[in-house]
Amino acid sequence: MMSPAAEAVLHRCFVSARSARRRFVTVEHMVLEMLREPPVVQHLKASAVNVDALRRDLEAAVSKVDAYSAPEDKPDTQPTVEFQRVIQNAILDAHSSGQREVSLIDLLAATRKQKGSFR
């Protein structure tokens, strides 16, 4: 089960990708949305991550995701395999450590495993 904060982030990923008419929602969308959450920002800063540089890099990556070009196309944004894998890994890791909910930090940790460490 996802924590309410994690569910909200995942929901915002899809809303953001759809409103930008992107074909896919990616791990980069996920991390970018997590950067709106103070506990995530605090965690990253405590890990000596340059949050502003990370945000710029993620915004650049998200802007390159395939978009629907024809205005009449209704966006049917789909998660990438990597996006799905991050969620699965976060669930498995949380449950294996005895947690009942997947937190934002669990999601963040799963993205770091998937994509490698952030700066």
Side-chain angles (χ1 to χ4, degrees):
M1 174 191 268
M2 294 283 168
S3 70
E7 283 184 20
V9 162
L10 295 176
H11 175 73
R12 287 196 320 254
C13 291
F14 281 90
V15 170
S16 171
R18 270 191 207 108
S19 66
R21 302 187 53 77
R22 301 292 174 202
R23 291 183 184 273
F24 302 102
V25 62
T26 65
V27 174
E28 290 81 5
H29 283 102
M30 186 185 301
V31 178
L32 193 56
E33 287 301 325
M34 281 194 277
L35 291 180
R36 293 174 54 188
E37 300 295 326
V40 171
V41 172
Q42 291 169 356
H43 180 82
L44 289 172
K45 285 183 177 180
S47 300
V49 172
N50 182 334
V51 174
D52 293 329
L54 176 60
R55 184 177 285 114
R56 281 191 305 273
D57 292 348
L58 292 167
E59 287 170 347
V62 164
S63 73
K64 295 176 185 174
V65 175
D66 286 347
Y68 289 93
S69 55
E72 65 276 0
D73 288 346
K74 290 185 179 180
D76 183 24
T77 304
Q78 297 296 314
T80 62
V81 171
E82 294 83 5
F83 184 94
Q84 293 173 336
R85 193 173 298 132
V86 164
I87 294 170
Q88 290 171 338
N89 287 338
I91 292 169
L92 291 172
D93 290 346
H95 285 255
S96 69
S97 66
Q99 295 172 232
R100 295 187 63 138
E101 287 186 333
V102 176
S103 71
L104 288 171
I105 302 305
D106 295 325
L107 270 180
L108 182 65
T111 64
R112 291 179 95 164
K113 284 182 188 177
Q114 182 73 25
K115 289 289 190 179
S117 292
F118 304 125
R119 294 178 225 218

